[in-house]
Amino acid sequence: MKKILVSSLLLILPVLAFAQNELARIERELGDSVVYVLPAFQKGKVIFKNGEFATGDLNISIVDQSLRFKDEGGQILSVDDNSSVDRVTIGPMLFLHLGKDYAGVVDSGEEVILCLVRKLEFKRDEKTGAFGMKSETTNITRIGSMYDNGNIYDINLEAGYKIREIPVLVRKGRQFAFNRKSLEKLFPDKKAVLAEYLQSNNVDFESAQDAAALFSVLK
């Protein structure tokens, strides 16, 4: 059993090393203005799920949704275990760690919080199939998944990428999609107000600006 475990680790380590190198390459090509949530590292505080905390110069990478910090020499490092992070403040901003994503708090009511998750997504290289049709492998996928179901993607940034800002709702640590159904559930006494607002306004539920305006009416 021990030999099998060691052999398995020897197979995994080169894969992890490749993924890390690929991640570093992508971030170098993209540049800091794209990679990070904030334009510069700022003083902040990390609160872990076990109640412990740490301080330092912090930022969040939207390439792999990881919390980054600068060591004493100024080198940028990633937190070893992002799943252990509960929340983090960077400068004036508060980010909640929801699942695998860091969500910046935009507004809050008595029980419900409006957050914004920024994600970087890419297009895989298009492949031409039979009769000149484009392959379905061109679907946009999260760039954070360097190693997914045993496949490592050699990402070509020339294929295209985009940054999405996704509004989400949070109540008691639980995350909800920002849509009419969730709003009716989280604000049951504001159903009439919601209906009237949606009738009078053309709301794009995927728009951060529209989400903030609607939330401010309901909270």
Side-chain angles (χ1 to χ4, degrees), residues 26-111:
I26 291 168
E27 292 192 347
R28 285 195 303 269
E29 293 186 25
L30 289 172
D32 289 355
S33 62
V34 175
V35 171
Y36 294 108
V37 169
L38 301 175
F41 279 71
Q42 298 183 46
K43 296 292 183 184
K45 183 177 182 179
V46 187
I47 307 296
F48 296 96
K49 292 178 180 178
N50 62 6
E52 296 180 355
F53 69 91
T55 59
D57 292 330
L58 307 173
N59 212 330
I60 294 170
S61 169
I62 64 172
V63 180
D64 64 348
Q65 289 292 317
S66 68
L67 179 62
R68 306 289 179 88
F69 66 95
K70 288 186 177 181
D71 64 11
E72 294 180 356
Q75 182 179 2
I76 297 174
L77 302 173
S78 178
V79 171
D80 289 335
D81 182 12
N82 280 271
S83 64
S84 66
V85 176
D86 181 70
R87 62 192 184 277
V88 54
T89 57
I90 306 177
M93 295 193 64
L94 170 63
F95 296 87
L96 307 179
H97 192 220
L98 305 174
K100 295 182 179 180
D101 299 320
Y102 283 93
V105 174
V106 176
D107 200 354
S108 60
E110 293 183 4
E111 293 187 352

Side-chain angles (χ1 to χ4, degrees), residues 1-12:
M1 179 65 73
K2 185 176 181 180
K3 288 183 178 180
I4 294 174
L5 178 59
V6 171
S7 298
S8 299
L9 289 174
L10 291 176
L11 290 173
I12 292 171

Side-chain angles (χ1 to χ4, degrees), residues 114-129:
L114 173 65
C115 296
L116 199 63
V117 177
R118 182 175 293 180
K119 291 184 178 182
L120 183 62
E121 298 180 332
F122 72 100
K123 292 182 180 180
R124 299 181 195 170
D125 289 333
E126 293 185 346
K127 296 179 180 180
T128 304

